[in-house]
Amino acid sequence: MDTAVKTTIEEGTGSAPLRLLFGADRSPLNQKVHGSKEARHTNTRELSKYAPTSVLYKAEDRVTGSFQLLQSWAGNVISIGSDSFVAVVHDRTNPNNPDEEVTLDIKEVTSDDLPLLAEGAVFYWSIGYADFPGRPRLRISEIRFRRLPSWSQKEIDSSKEKAKRLAKRFATD
Amino acid sequence: MQNDLPQIDNSSPNSDELEVSLFGPGVGECIVAHLGDNQWMVIDSCKNPKTKNPAALDYLKEIGVKLDAVSVIVISHWHTDHIRGAADLVAACPNAQVVYSAALLKEEFLTLVDAYSISASVVGCESAGLSEMRSIVQCLDDRNEDDEGYAKANMKPALADTIIHNYKCDEFHTQVWALSPSSTSFNEALQEFESLIPSEGDQRKVISCPSENINSVAIWIEMGEYSVLLGADLEETKNPNTGWSVIVDSKVRPKEQANIFKIPHHGSSTGHSQDVWEQMTCDNTIALCTTFNNSHLPKAEDVERIKEYTENLYCTTISKSKLPKRESSVERTLKEVTKTRRVIGGAVGQLQVRIKQDGTCRVCAKPPALQL
């Protein structure tokens, strides 16, 4: 039984975000290249439809590469439109740079992260080069939303208690 | 647009000279006012991106004013663009009475501040507005810890039609009024803050500031024969119990007309009230405005509208700030990936208006401030 992990590269029109997942285990590599509309993970039987552009790797042939980070931001979403969102980004590479407000296409967000796209949501945005042996260098822009722990009742109650004490202390009448 | 205004006067004003200096870095606002006899008031705060200090502290140092001469600090509301550096300001001016929009030190908002400050260590970033408020609250708490009577003597909640500063000498009499928020606005603010407190299971996030500004503190200064109206970010709500309507209709407020008007909410149409222009400002009042680059305020139509009321319109900055240059691969990627991109804040422009008691008035500017 073929348990190969494969990458499908589809041709298309329009630009799409470039995103690479480095499979530490057998998780599929899902690669989009500039010019492709979308990438799909396909099974072995469909493989022949896309020959000769599809590439087959055996499960034990892990593709490992390196990522050279050029620029990194931490951002938070301030508004969401029909096809774009606005965020304030803080420069993590050079914190002396001023904050910027950017408008990004919602297509820059992966399908995994789309449910996390909300006002106030926090993300990391990285730009860099990905190098794989025997492959051309890839320039990558990646946005990943943070999966943060939810509020606990204990935390909220503690804040309410502290607020009560402070409000009493600050009373001027 | 005119860039030929005289340069800022770097000496301190005469003891009987009224001064209003407005600072704006593109996103942000701060006012420094001389109330006579070397008594100073600072309203809100923004930071100088070069020095990283509050613009007010840099200016006072530049003109040789000691920080113990700051008598009043006003926190008009908690939006990021009006509060950056306010904690440093409060800490640096120990003699100042801290006046704040009344809802800001009530349980609801204090709960919000504390809850999000704990969350910030998990999230890794937080709203600058809440971060500053957290530091201010800490400073005030520490002072109260050292002196039980501190709050009663040095802290004052601002509500409509309250006098926050009163000074009389042989040459002149100075009064400073808080014109807002109304009691309705105060109660609505408390409800709004309550609604923002997270519940168990909510996803952590960076809090967004609510868009409407009804809780902002508008200030009136009277010094001798001259008056100043400082509009903060107060908006016209068309509700007779909130916003500008309730101020105009107040039977208690001073009835003079302002010689200097800091236009509310960056000249936006939501901050505009025809009644304020007609009833609370004199003809051709000196109108000062800061920009809010995130929303392109003031827009061209805002400038047109304002110029129907006065020819003397000045703005702290109009040009867009330069984006920082990054290496070419990053710049190329940014061009491909972003639809728009702009720097939040930039060089701080300053408008300095000084009026002597004999009526001599001078408007000076520090670029990029200019006359529109």
Side-chain angles (χ1 to χ4, degrees), chain B residues 21-68:
Chain B
S21 269
L22 176 66
F23 299 85
V27 173
E29 179 173 307
C30 171
I31 295 166
V32 175
H34 180 239
L35 306 176
D37 267 356
N38 200 35
Q39 294 174 64
W40 291 84
M41 176 168 70
V42 181
I43 302 167
D44 293 339
S45 180
C46 60
K47 276 194 174 180
N48 184 327
K50 279 193 182 149
T51 65
K52 311 287 185 214
N53 296 329
L57 295 185
D58 281 350
Y59 174 62
L60 290 170
K61 187 178 173 185
E62 207 176 301
I63 62 171
V65 172
K66 291 201 167 81
L67 296 180
D68 56 10

Side-chain angles (χ1 to χ4, degrees), chain B residues 173-217:
Chain B
H173 179 199
T174 302
Q175 272 194 337
V176 181
W177 291 69
L179 301 178
S180 62
S182 65
S183 52
T184 306
S185 299
F186 168 73
N187 288 322
E188 285 184 8
L190 291 180
Q191 284 169 22
E192 186 177 63
F193 295 148
E194 176 90 51
S195 73
L196 292 173
I197 295 171
S199 303
E200 187 183 18
D202 282 353
Q203 174 77 11
R204 283 177 209 265
K205 60 181 183 177
V206 173
I207 196 169
S208 303
C209 289
S211 51
E212 201 179 46
N213 284 294
I214 57 168
N215 199 40
S216 193
V217 181

Side-chain angles (χ1 to χ4, degrees), chain A:
Chain A
M1 177 143 177
D2 192 326
T3 57
V5 171
K6 78 269 324 160
T7 299
T8 304
I9 304 167
E10 297 190 357
E11 307 232 350
T13 56
S15 61
L18 195 64
R19 177 172 166 269
L20 222 62
L21 278 178
F22 303 98
D25 51 20
R26 291 180 187 183
S27 57
L29 284 175
N30 181 7
Q31 180 174 337
K32 302 176 192 179
V33 296
H34 189 82
S36 68
K37 267 189 177 171
E38 58 178 351
R40 289 198 315 252
H41 175 58
T42 56
N43 63 34
T44 315
R45 289 192 179 82
E46 290 182 42
L47 198 64
S48 58
K49 279 204 298 191
Y50 302 102
T53 56
S54 54
V55 177
L56 193 70
Y57 292 94
K58 287 185 186 166
E60 58 268 24
D61 291 341
R62 286 182 198 171
V63 179
T64 54
S66 62
F67 182 70
Q68 181 192 346
L69 179 68
L70 297 175
Q71 176 66 51
S72 170
W73 292 270
N76 54 275
V77 177
I78 54 176
S79 66
I80 302 172
S82 54
D83 61 354
S84 62
F85 66 98
V86 181
V88 171
V89 292
H90 321 284
D91 193 331
R92 296 171 83 206
T93 306
N94 185 355
N96 287 330
N97 277 336
D99 291 350
E100 293 180 39
E101 186 190 270
V102 296
T103 307
L104 295 158
D105 197 314
I106 284 181
K107 289 186 194 142
E108 296 299 319
V109 181
T110 66
S111 49
D112 291 343
D113 280 2
L114 267 178
L116 299 171
L117 176 61
E119 269 188 34
V122 180
F123 61 90
Y124 289 135
W125 181 19
S126 304
I127 291 176
Y129 288 121
D131 290 304
F132 291 93
R135 290 184 171 195
R137 168 173 266 193
L138 298 170
R139 182 161 45 88
I140 291 178
S141 164
E142 183 181 64
I143 290 172
R144 293 312 309 257
F145 277 79
R146 304 260 326 262
R147 283 147 175 84
L148 296 164
S150 310
W151 293 94
S152 71
Q153 194 58 49
K154 191 177 170 188
E155 284 171 314
I156 298 164
D157 289 344
S158 163
S159 292
K160 285 183 176 174
E161 273 307 306
K162 186 173 176 184
K164 207 170 177 176
R165 176 188 72 77
L166 285 169
K168 197 174 169 187
R169 174 166 261 187
F170 293 151
T172 55
D173 44 19

Side-chain angles (χ1 to χ4, degrees), chain B residues 119-249:
Chain B
S119 182
S121 57
V122 174
V123 174
C125 57
E126 61 178 325
S127 146
L130 283 192
S131 168
E132 287 288 347
M133 278 306 304
R134 171 164 50 88
S135 300
I136 291 167
V137 166
Q138 186 61 57
C139 178
L140 295 175
D141 192 24
D142 290 343
R143 286 179 181 170
N144 274 283
E145 184 75 30
D146 294 339
D147 175 4
E148 268 182 29
Y150 177 84
K152 283 196 166 71
N154 296 288
M155 291 169 59
K156 194 174 185 76
L159 282 167
D161 300 330
T162 52
I163 294 175
I164 59 175
H165 180 81
N166 196 8
Y167 176 76
K168 204 167 183 179
C169 67
D170 292 336
E171 284 79 34
F172 57 86
H173 179 199
T174 302
Q175 272 194 337
V176 181
W177 291 69
L179 301 178
S180 62
S182 65
S183 52
T184 306
S185 299
F186 168 73
N187 288 322
E188 285 184 8
L190 291 180
Q191 284 169 22
E192 186 177 63
F193 295 148
E194 176 90 51
S195 73
L196 292 173
I197 295 171
S199 303
E200 187 183 18
D202 282 353
Q203 174 77 11
R204 283 177 209 265
K205 60 181 183 177
V206 173
I207 196 169
S208 303
C209 289
S211 51
E212 201 179 46
N213 284 294
I214 57 168
N215 199 40
S216 193
V217 181
I219 295 283
W220 180 271
I221 303 173
E222 253 176 34
M223 184 175 158
E225 292 178 23
Y226 303 100
S227 303
V228 182
L229 174 56
L230 304 171
D233 265 4
L234 195 64
E235 295 184 73
E236 172 53 49
T237 59
K238 308 284 186 225
N239 178 337
N241 297 315
T242 62
W244 283 107
S245 304
V246 71
I247 292 177
V248 172
D249 294 339

Side-chain angles (χ1 to χ4, degrees), chain B residues 251-305:
Chain B
K251 299 202 182 340
V252 181
R253 68 167 175 87
K255 293 302 182 191
E256 280 66 32
Q257 293 186 315
N259 307 96
I260 303 171
F261 180 27
K262 204 294 291 187
I263 293 171
H265 202 231
H266 315 286
S268 71
S269 54
T270 56
H272 173 76
S273 161
Q274 185 170 331
D275 288 337
V276 168
W277 280 101
E278 288 176 355
Q279 296 183 39
M280 298 183 72
T281 69
C282 63
D283 289 336
N284 263 329
T285 189
I286 297 169
L288 310 177
C289 185
T290 54
T291 56
F292 187 64
N293 289 350
N294 292 7
S295 304
H296 301 290
L297 293 175
K299 298 188 194 324
E301 55 263 35
D302 296 324
V303 174
E304 248 183 76
R305 180 189 69 242

Side-chain angles (χ1 to χ4, degrees), chain B residues 316-360:
Chain B
T316 52
T317 175
I318 206 78
S319 52
K320 286 185 187 172
S321 303
K322 269 189 175 171
L323 290 163
K325 265 291 176 208
R326 297 185 171 90
E327 68 170 278
S328 57
S329 310
V330 174
E331 288 292 335
R332 246 181 302 145
T333 310
L334 286 170
K335 279 200 177 87
E336 289 163 11
V337 168
T338 59
K339 289 185 166 190
T340 66
R341 202 177 137 216
R342 72 176 133 249
V343 165
I344 296 175
V348 181
Q350 179 189 350
L351 293 162
Q352 181 195 64
V353 184
R354 287 185 176 177
I355 305 180
K356 295 186 198 296
Q357 289 303 307
D358 65 7
T360 318

